[in-house]
Structure formats: structure tokens, C-alpha cells
Amino acid sequence: MSKTASSKADRPPRLRLWASATALCFTAGAVGVFATGVATSFAADSGYSAADAARVGAVTAPTTDFSRPEPHENLAGGAGTFPGKPDAKSMSHPDATLDDPGVERFRLGFALFKKMWAQAPSSTQASDGLGPLFNARSCLSCHVSDGRGRPPEGETESQSFLFRLARTPVTDAERAALAAHEHLNFPDPVYGQQLQDQGVTGLKGEGRPVITYAEKVVTLTGGDIVPLRVPSYAITDLAYGPLDPATTLSPRIAQSLPGMGLLESIPEAAILAQADLQAKANDGVHGHPNRVRDPKTGAVVIGRFGWKAQNPTVRAQTAAALSSDIGISSPDAPDPYGDCTAAETACRKMPTGVQKRLGDTEAPDPILELLTAYTANLAVPARRDVDQPDVLAGKAMFYQAGCATCHTPKFVTARNAADPQHAFQLIWPYSDLLLHDMGEGLADGQQVGEATGREWRTAPLWGIGLAQTVNGYQAYLHDGRARTLEEAILWHGGEGERARNAYAAMEKSDRQKLLKFLGSL
């Protein structure tokens, strides 16, 4: 896997947002954002000046011209976009604007990302601490080539698929704790927040996830038939007794990683502005943020990462994955037993990998910092075929069907972003980062913070057209049930049902153009 940075001569120039007369001509959508006084909060939240806010409003306004690409549309991740060949390594390159020290931190982070953690005690003490219960031994095991995961297929297991476990609150004290953002939900009393299917030597894994599929058929305009997989979920070989009857299973596959640092750099006010616009449109789409507590600062902020937007920062997402997936403690998730509960007494008696000479956790800083630097600086691959007639026509269909309401095409990151390379960038994530009710067909019944059992964060679409190229398969939606982008669209319900129905009603040639557009992302 190549982890080399582009030469400075090959790097695209940092994007400038020109405040030309043309750029200041707002569309109705842009006026809607700034007429509500959001520009004022943008200034405080993002470091924008008043002039910046006007320019940002203009450049991020929804397009009405589908005859040609928009300026910089091919640079999906701004100036840091990876411009090279779309191959299996497309998602594994550093942000193109990183300086030399930044590239060095990226490389060190990658070494930790692929590190195989070992059961304690081991001869390499810096690698001690696996589990004792776990799903994978390394980050790379789940995020192969920094791409998306898949569910198990037939007899083939998948380390990039897991069950989250939780129950709803049952007492006033528990409900108050949720309201105060002290918890996202409540774990199974024995198996905790996640089913770990593996254990270190001498310790059984908790159980094995099982998926069975039924089939339902959708008929599209023109008579085309699309079979959809309808999954059912269970656990076999439970090692430590039964699950609590109130425990729900939420299946999850690993998400692709490029662009995470850019998503963290979108001003909070810009995300809230999208929620405000949707509420005022009163057309059945009404996304809202998941407000969560940052484990590092203790502040209640907007969640941006994870299938239910349960993690507010790249660092928080990294610490949560280290703890739940690998059983490695860090300053932001300091329990060296990971998700092992008090009821799992054999697990709690196992040795841990904490080395007091190195710190109080198994992955102390700078380990967590370097892993965060790696995942925050994976470059978004460049768009392809942006000027092709069928792609442009498919983009028009995407807008006309209402897909762009939730899959918001573009944002401009904050001037005061924590990392300079992410500052003031026009990016194209195709997500509003808000929670939406996606209907009963996709519901998992599991509350996560302010996300209900029917709500999911709008998945960013950048890079989605490279799923087959990078990972050798296609698996979409939170559990990977959709084997094609068309299947993923047809699973949309709830707030996404109108767009889904618009797609199903299109002529076949128009559907093909919309899919070609998605394939260019």
C-alpha cells in the first residue's frame, strides 16, 4: 500500500473563493440560510468574516445549471483531493496539501493503523493489550484499504461486520442520564455495548452473529425487477448466558475513511442551517443533529461520525473503535478491559497491556494522536467523468428526485479549522450529517443519544463510486444488505421515500444516468 505524498509541484492549488459579482448572486436556497441570521453565528463558529459568509453562501448554493460541471467539482476533497489513478489504493493517500512533518505523522499513524495488537503479556510490550474480548486485531482488519466493510457471506466471515447492543432506558434516572447526554443508551448487562466474537487465548468469544436473508421484489417503471435482500439477525453460541430480553441488535459494517478531518471542519452553524432549511420547507424531510458529549472536553456538541452520528470528532471515533473493536484503552476511553462487563468475570481477571512507564492506558498519546492524524488526513479521491453528458444528466435527476435535500452536495470548511490543511476548503461530501427517519424497513430499534431506532445519519457519498475498485465488492447501507447502489436507493423509506419513489418512477434510461452520476462520486 502506497503511503507517499504527492510532490508539491503536483499538488492542486489551495482553493480560493472569489467574491465576484456572479458569486454574490444568491439562489433561493442560499438566501434561506443567511436570511435567518446564521451568518452571524457562522462568524463565531467558523472564523468567517461577513464577506466570507456571503461568498460561502453563494458558492454552496444549490446549482440550477446541469449543462456543465460546477467550478472545482472534480476536487471532491478540496485542495487536498487525491488526483491520481482510481485504483485499489485510491482511498489510502494523504491529504495532498500536508507539509513534510504532516506526511511523517500520517505515515506513523498508518504504522499504528495496521499494527496487530497482541495478548498481554507479550514480548513486545508496546503491542500489549488486545481484548480480552475483541472483534479485530487491527484497524486495517475492518477498514481494508481504508474502504467500507461487508456482512458475512455464506461461510465467509467478516471482521468488518458487528452487532451493537443496547436497550432503552427503563427508569427515570436512566432517562435523565440520557437527557443530560451522560449516556448514549444502556448496554446489555452481560455482553455490554457490542458483541465481541473473539477472545484471547483461554477466553471464549461472546457469540457469533448470524444473518439469514429473505427476498422481496420491487418492480420499476418499464417492468424491470429488482430483488432486495431482507435480513434477519440472531446470535448463536452465546458463551456467557442469554441476552437481556430488552437488548436490541444493531448490525453495522465499517465505513470508508477518506475526508473525515474535512467533515469535522464543517462549521456547526452550517449543519444547523441545513436542518433549519429542511424544517422550513415542510416537505416531509426534517433532519436534526445528534447532540453528544465529547469524551475529551466534556462539552455537548454535534455528532458527525458513525452510523448514528454518535461521535463528535475523529479522535472520539478512533478512541471508541480502539476500545470496542480491539479492546485497547486510550486517554478518551481508559478502561483496559474494553467492553468487558463486570458480569464477565473471567475477562476482568485477564492481564492488561497497561505499561506504567508508557502511561495509564494501552494506547496513550501520542498513539491516539497519531492514529487520529492518519484517519483525519486520508485524502478524498477526485471525481471522475464530471463533464460527461450522462453524468450531468444523472446529476440533474439526483436533484430533481430530491436526493440532494439530505445528501447535501457541498460545504465550505471553517477558516479556524484545527488543522490548517482543512481550513476554508470547498468540499463535496454529499451529506448533511443530520439524522433522518429512514422508515421501518431500515429500522434497528436502537436509540443512540438523540437518534431513534428508525434514524440514521446521512451517509456521505464521496468515494462511493469506487467501492468495487477499492474493496472488490459492493455493500451499502448500515448493514451491507444492498449489493448495488440501486438496491440502496430502493431501501429508502420514511423521509427518503419520496426520493425513492421518484427514482422508481423514472424511465430506465434516466435511472441509468442517475446511477452513472453516483458512480462518478
Side-chain angles (χ1 to χ4, degrees), residues 208-225:
R208 185 171 65 88
V210 175
I211 312 173
T212 55
Y213 292 106
E215 185 177 284
K216 72 175 182 179
V217 172
V218 176
T219 303
L220 306 178
T221 293
D224 282 355
I225 301 297

mmCIF file of all heavy atoms in Angstrom, residues 208-225:
data_model
loop_
_atom_site.group_PDB
_atom_site.id
_atom_site.type_symbol
_atom_site.label_atom_id
_atom_site.label_comp_id
_atom_site.label_asym_id
_atom_site.label_seq_id
_atom_site.Cartn_x
_atom_site.Cartn_y
_atom_site.Cartn_z
ATOM 1 N N ARG A 208 -21.564 -15.603 18.053
ATOM 2 C CA ARG A 208 -21.348 -15.448 16.619
ATOM 3 C C ARG A 208 -22.574 -14.828 15.966
ATOM 4 O O ARG A 208 -23.699 -15.333 16.149
ATOM 5 C CB ARG A 208 -21.039 -16.804 15.988
ATOM 6 C CG ARG A 208 -20.668 -16.750 14.520
ATOM 7 C CD ARG A 208 -20.175 -18.103 14.039
ATOM 8 N NE ARG A 208 -21.228 -19.105 14.101
ATOM 9 C CZ ARG A 208 -22.097 -19.341 13.105
ATOM 10 N NH1 ARG A 208 -22.038 -18.621 11.997
ATOM 11 N NH2 ARG A 208 -23.005 -20.275 13.226
ATOM 12 N N PRO A 209 -22.409 -13.725 15.235
ATOM 13 C CA PRO A 209 -23.554 -13.128 14.549
ATOM 14 C C PRO A 209 -24.007 -14.011 13.389
ATOM 15 O O PRO A 209 -23.180 -14.595 12.670
ATOM 16 C CB PRO A 209 -23.030 -11.782 14.059
ATOM 17 C CG PRO A 209 -21.551 -11.960 13.967
ATOM 18 C CD PRO A 209 -21.178 -12.949 15.027
ATOM 19 N N VAL A 210 -25.318 -14.099 13.209
ATOM 20 C CA VAL A 210 -25.888 -14.912 12.147
ATOM 21 C C VAL A 210 -26.867 -14.053 11.355
ATOM 22 O O VAL A 210 -27.687 -13.331 11.931
ATOM 23 C CB VAL A 210 -26.623 -16.147 12.717
ATOM 24 C CG1 VAL A 210 -27.310 -16.922 11.596
ATOM 25 C CG2 VAL A 210 -25.642 -17.045 13.457
ATOM 26 N N ILE A 211 -26.759 -14.129 10.033
ATOM 27 C CA ILE A 211 -27.665 -13.397 9.152
ATOM 28 C C ILE A 211 -28.361 -14.395 8.237
ATOM 29 O O ILE A 211 -27.722 -15.260 7.647
ATOM 30 C CB ILE A 211 -26.915 -12.375 8.270
ATOM 31 C CG1 ILE A 211 -25.943 -11.533 9.084
ATOM 32 C CG2 ILE A 211 -27.911 -11.479 7.539
ATOM 33 C CD1 ILE A 211 -25.060 -10.635 8.239
ATOM 34 N N THR A 212 -29.667 -14.279 8.141
ATOM 35 C CA THR A 212 -30.415 -15.009 7.123
ATOM 36 C C THR A 212 -31.169 -13.989 6.280
ATOM 37 O O THR A 212 -31.580 -12.942 6.775
ATOM 38 C CB THR A 212 -31.402 -16.002 7.750
ATOM 39 O OG1 THR A 212 -32.267 -15.309 8.660
ATOM 40 C CG2 THR A 212 -30.652 -17.099 8.486
ATOM 41 N N TYR A 213 -31.318 -14.301 4.997
ATOM 42 C CA TYR A 213 -31.964 -13.367 4.082
ATOM 43 C C TYR A 213 -33.214 -13.984 3.468
ATOM 44 O O TYR A 213 -33.205 -15.136 3.029
ATOM 45 C CB TYR A 213 -31.019 -12.974 2.940
ATOM 46 C CG TYR A 213 -29.833 -12.130 3.360
ATOM 47 C CD1 TYR A 213 -28.558 -12.690 3.419
ATOM 48 C CD2 TYR A 213 -29.987 -10.791 3.691
ATOM 49 C CE1 TYR A 213 -27.457 -11.917 3.786
ATOM 50 C CE2 TYR A 213 -28.893 -10.015 4.063
ATOM 51 C CZ TYR A 213 -27.632 -10.585 4.107
ATOM 52 O OH TYR A 213 -26.554 -9.827 4.474
ATOM 53 N N ALA A 214 -34.272 -13.195 3.469
ATOM 54 C CA ALA A 214 -35.423 -13.473 2.621
ATOM 55 C C ALA A 214 -35.300 -12.541 1.419
ATOM 56 O O ALA A 214 -34.361 -11.759 1.312
ATOM 57 C CB ALA A 214 -36.720 -13.245 3.380
ATOM 58 N N GLU A 215 -36.233 -12.604 0.515
ATOM 59 C CA GLU A 215 -36.170 -11.747 -0.666
ATOM 60 C C GLU A 215 -37.514 -11.086 -0.907
ATOM 61 O O GLU A 215 -38.566 -11.691 -0.719
ATOM 62 C CB GLU A 215 -35.772 -12.566 -1.897
ATOM 63 C CG GLU A 215 -35.555 -11.745 -3.156
ATOM 64 C CD GLU A 215 -35.095 -12.571 -4.341
ATOM 65 O OE1 GLU A 215 -33.907 -12.953 -4.371
ATOM 66 O OE2 GLU A 215 -35.939 -12.842 -5.227
ATOM 67 N N LYS A 216 -37.466 -9.814 -1.266
ATOM 68 C CA LYS A 216 -38.658 -9.150 -1.769
ATOM 69 C C LYS A 216 -38.294 -8.502 -3.103
ATOM 70 O O LYS A 216 -37.138 -8.157 -3.349
ATOM 71 C CB LYS A 216 -39.196 -8.122 -0.781
ATOM 72 C CG LYS A 216 -38.388 -6.859 -0.613
ATOM 73 C CD LYS A 216 -39.128 -5.893 0.313
ATOM 74 C CE LYS A 216 -38.375 -4.575 0.488
ATOM 75 N NZ LYS A 216 -39.108 -3.637 1.377
ATOM 76 N N VAL A 217 -39.287 -8.365 -3.939
ATOM 77 C CA VAL A 217 -39.059 -7.906 -5.301
ATOM 78 C C VAL A 217 -39.726 -6.557 -5.500
ATOM 79 O O VAL A 217 -40.856 -6.330 -5.065
ATOM 80 C CB VAL A 217 -39.602 -8.934 -6.320
ATOM 81 C CG1 VAL A 217 -39.554 -8.375 -7.734
ATOM 82 C CG2 VAL A 217 -38.795 -10.219 -6.240
ATOM 83 N N VAL A 218 -39.000 -5.643 -6.128
ATOM 84 C CA VAL A 218 -39.521 -4.320 -6.472
ATOM 85 C C VAL A 218 -39.620 -4.239 -7.986
ATOM 86 O O VAL A 218 -38.671 -4.606 -8.695
ATOM 87 C CB VAL A 218 -38.608 -3.208 -5.936
ATOM 88 C CG1 VAL A 218 -39.108 -1.839 -6.388
ATOM 89 C CG2 VAL A 218 -38.519 -3.266 -4.421
ATOM 90 N N THR A 219 -40.762 -3.763 -8.460
ATOM 91 C CA THR A 219 -40.959 -3.580 -9.897
ATOM 92 C C THR A 219 -40.888 -2.101 -10.227
ATOM 93 O O THR A 219 -41.612 -1.290 -9.634
ATOM 94 C CB THR A 219 -42.313 -4.149 -10.349
ATOM 95 O OG1 THR A 219 -42.384 -5.528 -9.992
ATOM 96 C CG2 THR A 219 -42.474 -4.014 -11.866
ATOM 97 N N LEU A 220 -40.023 -1.748 -11.147
ATOM 98 C CA LEU A 220 -39.809 -0.358 -11.521
ATOM 99 C C LEU A 220 -40.588 -0.026 -12.794
ATOM 100 O O LEU A 220 -41.066 -0.916 -13.513
ATOM 101 C CB LEU A 220 -38.323 -0.098 -11.733
ATOM 102 C CG LEU A 220 -37.388 -0.483 -10.581
ATOM 103 C CD1 LEU A 220 -35.940 -0.219 -10.963
ATOM 104 C CD2 LEU A 220 -37.753 0.271 -9.313
ATOM 105 N N THR A 221 -40.677 1.260 -13.062
ATOM 106 C CA THR A 221 -41.297 1.700 -14.305
ATOM 107 C C THR A 221 -40.622 1.027 -15.503
ATOM 108 O O THR A 221 -39.390 0.988 -15.582
ATOM 109 C CB THR A 221 -41.200 3.230 -14.441
ATOM 110 O OG1 THR A 221 -42.002 3.832 -13.430
ATOM 111 C CG2 THR A 221 -41.687 3.691 -15.804
ATOM 112 N N GLY A 222 -41.429 0.512 -16.406
ATOM 113 C CA GLY A 222 -40.885 -0.213 -17.555
ATOM 114 C C GLY A 222 -40.820 -1.698 -17.329
ATOM 115 O O GLY A 222 -40.495 -2.450 -18.241
ATOM 116 N N GLY A 223 -41.107 -2.144 -16.096
ATOM 117 C CA GLY A 223 -41.174 -3.574 -15.816
ATOM 118 C C GLY A 223 -39.910 -4.203 -15.273
ATOM 119 O O GLY A 223 -39.890 -5.414 -15.018
ATOM 120 N N ASP A 224 -38.840 -3.443 -15.090
ATOM 121 C CA ASP A 224 -37.617 -4.013 -14.524
ATOM 122 C C ASP A 224 -37.873 -4.516 -13.107
ATOM 123 O O ASP A 224 -38.536 -3.847 -12.300
ATOM 124 C CB ASP A 224 -36.500 -2.980 -14.510
ATOM 125 C CG ASP A 224 -35.865 -2.782 -15.876
ATOM 126 O OD1 ASP A 224 -36.234 -3.512 -16.808
ATOM 127 O OD2 ASP A 224 -35.009 -1.888 -16.007
ATOM 128 N N ILE A 225 -37.316 -5.679 -12.796
ATOM 129 C CA ILE A 225 -37.473 -6.305 -11.487
ATOM 130 C C ILE A 225 -36.154 -6.208 -10.725
ATOM 131 O O ILE A 225 -35.090 -6.552 -11.250
ATOM 132 C CB ILE A 225 -37.861 -7.793 -11.635
ATOM 133 C CG1 ILE A 225 -39.166 -7.936 -12.419
ATOM 134 C CG2 ILE A 225 -37.967 -8.451 -10.267
ATOM 135 C CD1 ILE A 225 -40.364 -7.316 -11.751
#
